[in-house]
């Protein structure tokens, strides 16, 4: 607790937290015709347990004996609000944006109707689960974007329910985000004023590699790196030009790649001008600086690149309670990674940028 005290002058928003959904959430609430198709655990004849998800390679479930803080993280993230708020407080966090755990697989099935049914269950549950703390606990509404008309109706519904952001999968196989078929959806989302979040590990199986190095290959290449794609698609295809108020960004992908991506997009746009369409009125990087954002947890190298990216586009998050996050040692990580930042820069990345984007009220005296 004492480690959080020196930070109290900052308003701290974790833009990337997670909750364990009730074990039987989808089983209980999904339309009956999809019930036999939801993600499930199966035990084979040899007693091995497997996670079986429609649209993904089945993966072995291993029992890992966690110890110490790894164990605390493995047990954290419940929907129980009393415990959850105590965990936030312990980490010096004032408000949070909340994503699911198992729900990250809501887009695994290639069947658009199945995806829609999965997302609806989460959307109906999450806003209700955090209703009593809605000023500081903001779940993200899940949208299945493949069937555009249905997606638009869900966007309008969740906006009325009080959601502060919509989250979409980082990839939609066979229907990429640079396609103009999405224009009506982007128009509808812009109309609500809600930012679009692309949380890593969605829309593409993040556990593609196995064997030697599998855990690292999966994290870097199959979970984090794919999140770059929707950002490049938005900045280069005219989405930002057509929808100048649409905000969009990556969640949990870190920020070390952003400066590189901005330079690479502009290089492609200018040097390959003879192949480029549509012609845009700004450079791709300028659209990102105007409308894009990216969240990070523990990324000192990424913070070093802030002069190229823009401090207003960077949002911190602790990824509570996940192992790649910083909970319960966020204050130590903040001190270790942000010592070069000015006071104003710290205030922005720790909370003010997120407060503006997601609409959290900043308490008097902590706005800088
Ligand atoms: Mn996360």
């Amino acid at each position: 607790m004492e480690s959080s005290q020196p930070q109290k002058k900052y308003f701290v928003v974790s833009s990337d937290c997670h909750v364990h959904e009730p074990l039987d959430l989808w089983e209980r609430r999904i339309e009956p015709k999809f019930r036999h198709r939801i993600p499930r655990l199966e035990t084979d004849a040899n007693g091995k347990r497997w996670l079986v998800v429609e649209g993904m390679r089945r993966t072995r479930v291993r029992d890992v004996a966690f110890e110490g803080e790894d164990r605390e993280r493995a047990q954290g993230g419940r929907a129980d609000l009393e415990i959850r708020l105590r965990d936030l407080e312990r980490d010096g966090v004032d408000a949070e944006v909340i994503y699911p755990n198992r729900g990250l697989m809501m887009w695994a099935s290639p069947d658009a109707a199945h995806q829609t049914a999965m997302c609806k269950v989460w959307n109906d549950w999450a806003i209700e689960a955090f209703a009593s703390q809605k000023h500081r606990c903001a779940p993200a509404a899940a949208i299945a974007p493949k069937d555009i008309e249905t997606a638009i109706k869900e966007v309008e519904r969740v906006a009325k329910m009080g959601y502060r952001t919509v989250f979409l999968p980082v990839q939609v196989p066979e229907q990429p985000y640079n396609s103009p078929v999405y224009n009506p959806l982007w128009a509808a989302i812009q109309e609500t004023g809600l930012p679009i979040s692309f949380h890593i590990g969605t829309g593409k199986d993040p556990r593609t590699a196995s064997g030697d190095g599998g855990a690292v290959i999966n994290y870097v290449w199959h979970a984090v790196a794919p999140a770059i794609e929707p950002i490049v698609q938005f900045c280069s295809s005219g989405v930002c030009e057509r929808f100048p108020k649409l905000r969009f960004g990556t969640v949990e992908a870190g920020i070390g790649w952003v400066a590189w991506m901005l330079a690479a997009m502009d290089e492609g746009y200018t040097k390959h001008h003879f192949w480029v369409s549509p012609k845009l009125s700004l450079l791709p990087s300028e659209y990102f600086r105007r409308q894009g954002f990216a969240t990070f947890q523990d990324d000192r190298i990424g913070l070093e690149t802030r002069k190229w990216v823009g401090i207003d586009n960077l949002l911190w998050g602790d990824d509570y309670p996940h192992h790649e996050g910083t909970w319960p040692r966020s204050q130590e990580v903040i001190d270790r990674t942000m010592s070069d930042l000015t006071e104003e820069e710290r205030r922005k990345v720790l909370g003010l940028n997120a407060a503006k984007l997601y609409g959290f009220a900043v308490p008097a005296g902590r706005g800088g």
Side-chain angles (χ1 to χ4, degrees), residues 27-202:
E27 200 179 344
R28 201 159 32 84
R29 294 201 185 202
I30 201 160
E31 283 173 67
K33 64 176 173 181
F34 293 110
R35 197 165 287 146
H36 65 290
R37 291 169 58 185
I38 62 177
R40 62 191 180 278
L41 290 173
E42 283 181 3
T43 306
D44 67 17
N46 303 316
K48 288 178 183 162
R49 291 195 305 147
W50 299 86
L51 176 63
V52 180
V53 183
E54 190 173 298
M56 283 185 172
R57 194 173 60 97
R58 69 172 195 164
T59 45
R60 178 89 186 274
V61 179
R62 295 168 201 277
D63 289 316
V64 180
F66 291 115
E67 288 175 29
E69 280 182 9
D70 288 330
R71 189 187 162 91
E72 278 193 90
R73 279 187 279 269
Q75 292 172 344
R78 309 283 155 187
D80 180 311
L81 279 173
E82 200 179 316
I83 298 172
R84 192 172 180 94
L85 294 175
R86 198 185 61 203
D87 282 354
L88 290 187
E89 169 117 348
R90 175 180 170 195
D91 213 27
V93 170
D94 297 294
E96 58 170 349
V97 181
I98 304 169
Y99 295 88
N101 280 335
R102 280 176 300 138
L104 294 173
M105 298 183 286
M106 287 184 285
W107 301 272
S109 166
D111 175 0
H114 188 194
Q115 293 181 13
T116 299
M118 294 285 289
C119 291
K120 189 170 179 298
V121 170
W122 160 264
N123 293 341
D124 285 343
W125 173 77
I127 198 81
E128 213 177 278
F130 297 99
S132 69
Q133 297 295 327
K134 62 181 177 190
H135 57 293
R136 58 180 156 185
C137 300
I143 302 298
K146 219 170 159 181
D147 172 349
I148 311 281
E149 254 178 64
T150 309
I152 290 171
K153 286 197 194 103
E154 189 65 354
V155 164
E156 288 164 352
R157 189 177 81 96
V158 299
K160 283 195 201 105
M161 290 166 86
Y163 277 98
R164 297 166 188 259
T165 181
V166 290
F167 86 116
L168 275 63
V170 298
Q171 284 184 359
V172 183
E174 286 139 39
Q175 193 174 290
Y177 289 127
N178 59 330
S179 166
V181 299
Y182 287 107
N183 283 341
L185 179 60
W186 307 145
I189 297 174
Q190 179 177 260
E191 181 69 28
T192 65
L194 301 181
I196 301 174
S197 304
F198 294 104
H199 191 287
I200 65 163
T202 52

Side-chain angles (χ1 to χ4, degrees), residues 15-18 97 99-101 104 199-200 251-253 295 297 318-322 324:
S15 297
D16 176 22
C17 287
H18 293 266
V97 181
Y99 295 88
N101 280 335
L104 294 173
H199 191 287
I200 65 163
V251 177
E252 208 188 312
T295 84
Q297 305 98 266
D318 65 2
D319 199 28
Y320 166 79
H322 288 173
E324 62 277 8

